[in-house]
Every structure is written in C-alpha cells, then in structure tokens.
Amino acid sequence: MTQETKGGPPARQVDLCRVCGGSNWQEVVDFGPLPLANSFLEPGTPLDGEARFPLGVLSCRDCRLMTLTHTVDPEVLYRTYFYVTSDSQTISRHMRHVADLCVERFELAPGSFVVEMGSNTGQQLAAFQDSGMRTLGVDPARELAALANERGVETLPDFFSEVTADRIVKEYGHAQLILGRHVFAHIDDISEIATGVRELLEPAGVFAVEVPYALDMLASNEFDTIYHEHLSYFSVSTFAGLFGRHGLRVVDVERATVHGGSIIVFVSRDDAPWQPRPVVAELERLERDSGFFDDATYDEFARRVAHIRETLPPLVRGLVADGKRVAGYGAPAKGSTMVGVCGLGTEDLEFCLDTTDLKQGKLQPGSHIPVRSPEQAALNPPDYYLLFAWNYADEIIRNERAFLEGGGRFIVPVPEPRVVSLADLDG
Ligand code: TYD
Ligand code: ZN
C-alpha cells in the first residue's frame, strides 16, 4: 500500500472499525494519493513538491461507519492549521441557531458552563456568551486558540482527550453542555473522546455533536467532502451504537442544511433525565429504508462519482476551448478534492477566488491554481465560476448578482455538474 511520498510522516492504514471494532469492509471509492486539502502552497512550489497520502473510503458492514482508508498524523494536520471558520452569513446565522437550540431545548440556565472541542477562533462560543453562558474552548491549532483568547473566549491550545477532560473538571468543574461542531469526523480515537465527554459532563449534561450527515453526502454525491481531515462519515444509527457502548445515548437529532446537510446529535448520559425524542428512531428508520445498510447504495454512489469525474472536466475544457475563461469560486478543502479527483489544473482554471486572507496569494494544493482575493478577481472576472464552495450557493449567487447580470455563469459541480445563468434564477 502506498505510504506518503517526499519523506513526510506516515499515514496509517485503517484496520479495525473505530466505532464497532469490526473489519468487514466494503470498498467505496479510491482517489489515489492526494495532497492535504488545506495545505495551501507558497507560489513557486514545484509540481512534485508536495507530500501525498492515500485517499479512499471504506464502509463497515457491521455498523456502516464510513471511514478513510488511511489516517494522517494529527500533529501534521492540525498544529499549524489555518482553516478559519467562515464568517459567512450562513454560518453566523447557524451558530446563533445552535446556541438558541441548545439553551432552549436543554434548559441551560444563565451561567451554565459550556465547553467546545475544536472551537477554532471562538465564534460559536461567543454566541453562547451572548446568551449568558460561561465558556471554555479547546483547540490544538495554537494560532487559532490565541486568536480566540484575544477576542475574550478562553481557549486551551490542546487536543480534547481524557486528560484534557480531567484537567477541565479539576480547574473549572463539570460542563452542562459540551459541543463538538464539525470536529468529531476529524478524530481517530473517538472512544477516548466519548470517555472524556462522559467524565466531563455533569449528570444531566448534554453533548451536542454536529457532523455532515452521511445520508446527505451519499444522496447528493458530495464526494468532494472526502479529504484527509474527514476520517469518518456518520449516520444516526452509527452514533447510537457508538455512544451506547460508552454509557451514553442519543436523545435528539436536528437536521441542518450547513455543509451540504448536517446533523446535530444530542447525547446524554444513559442515566440522565432526557428521554429520546421520536425523531431519533425516525431517522434510524429512514436510514434503513434508504438503503444505508446495503452494499448497493455505496456501489451506486461510487458510480455517480465516477460519472461526475467523467463529465466535469470535459465541460470545463470545452468552455476553455471555446475561448471562455473559467475560475474557481472559493478555495475550500472540498475544492482541493474536486480538482485532485477530476484532474483539473492551471490550464483549466485561471485562479480561485477566496475571501480568506491566509489563502490569498497561495496556491491550491495539488493543482497549484493561484488563490486571489475577491477584489483582485473583480478587476478581470472570468466568464464562468466553478462553484467549489457550493455549500454557500444561495448566499454566493445572491451576492454575485452583478456578475450574473454581466453574463457570467456558475458551474455547480454537485449533485451533478450544471451551468447556472441569470435566466435560470429568474425563470
Ligand atoms: P468551507 O465551506 O468552510 O469549506 P471546507 O470545509 O470544504 O474547507 O469553505 C468555504 C470557502 O469558501 C472558504 O475558504 C471561504 C470561501 N468563501 C468565499 O470565498 N466567498 C464566499 O462568499 C463564501 C461564503 C465563502
Ligand atoms: Zn463498524
């Protein structure tokens, strides 16, 4: 099996399922060795100058966890991480919603203690502070933790673990709410996290874990959400089994539209007063009825992904051959998978526009397509934008009305490639 190239640290091949310990794997997709999706490069980096790690997905036939075939050392992935939570309207609104939802549904009194793992720059916890809660963040990315501390959201620059949980209990007390938003999928040893969560929760406390919903990913062909940071792709059924083994239980689930379809799963100790709401069983039934436990579902997903891989590059190249200029909209991690899997490069896309300062002036991993600021892009806009940040399609298309009115078009890559012009919106 390929290890990484260029002398980087090894990627470990997954052996036993991190949820159930099983090893009856179904192969879903194999994208070959690709660079890390958020490792944006300095200009001038040679094309063969990046470490590549195998990227593929398996499904566990016993619990239907989907997992990457290989895990890259988290010290490599996260210590110098510069993924900054988007300050888009969509996300700010969602964070406000998450805070209100938790406070109302689980009757959090003012002054309750809220701990967030993977708290990034503290934006979500700031929303809880606005609701009168006492907060503590935990995030291993040192620069991000420092930014959070500067804005007044106290943050420990650590990975969340049993040791961290223990330390928090001793120094700050037990938590009424623990949050893990879009971080659980990034963690290899989730049993340790579950143990740490159980220790840190006060008896009636709640753990709210938000992840992309595997059912939505499969249904909408969101294969570009597969990258080395996303080790696991979860369903409600898989979570129920996982937490059940740790003295915890799923008591509520809320579906959200962010990141292509996500679930917020609320988990309590199994001796806590919260009774599971009907929606938990309803979603488990939906998963069963929609084929989540059948090999055929995964084979069909792989076929649809292959189809996108076969149709998107000719669509872009056909436009370029007709003299059209095409660029990428957004430089999300998803975009790195999209170009890597589809084999798109600088001859296809002139640049990617992105609002993130830290990405501007750098090159997209793998393709080496340069990242430009929106201001720079506006000086000479292309004819078509390939919408890498499709999870913000509504917001972006609303904001880019002028581009569309000037005859510009978007190529939306999933669920299948399609071109959107002003006429499509107004018609
Ligand atoms: P995000 O969806 O958080 O993606 P991922 O988890 O796949 O990295 O990233 C969205 C990217 O798109 C981020 O780099 C910011 C950028 N972006 C824009 O450039 N313009 C916009 O209007 C929006 C909403 C996002
Ligand atoms: Zn399993």
Side-chain angles (χ1 to χ4, degrees), residues 37-38 40 81 83-91 182 186 224-225 227 229-230 259 328-336 352-356 359-360 371-372 374 387-393 395-397 399-400:
N38 272 313
F40 288 83
Y81 193 51
Y83 173 85
V84 180
T85 308
S86 163
D87 59 0
S88 69
Q89 268 181 30
T90 312
I91 291 297
H182 294 278
H186 298 230
D224 51 345
T225 63
Y227 43 90
E229 291 164 30
H230 289 167
H259 294 296
Y329 203 103
K334 289 186 286 296
S336 305
C352 294
L353 159 171
D354 199 284
T355 49
T356 316
K359 295 178 185 174
Q360 292 161 8
V371 182
R372 293 191 190 152
L387 190 55
F388 289 129
W390 50 257
N391 47 325
Y392 299 109
E395 181 174 343
I396 288 172
I397 290 174
N399 291 340
E400 292 293 347

Side-chain angles (χ1 to χ4, degrees), residues 141-180:
R142 296 192 184 99
E143 280 102 62
L144 300 184
L147 283 175
N149 281 310
E150 270 166 40
R151 82 189 298 175
V153 176
E154 187 182 354
T155 302
L156 308 177
D158 277 317
F159 288 99
F160 185 87
S161 65
E162 276 184 74
V163 175
T164 329
D166 214 44
R167 176 176 157 206
I168 297 173
V169 171
K170 289 203 182 86
E171 290 178 26
Y172 301 81
H174 287 95
Q176 275 79 50
L177 180 73
I178 304 176
L179 276 172

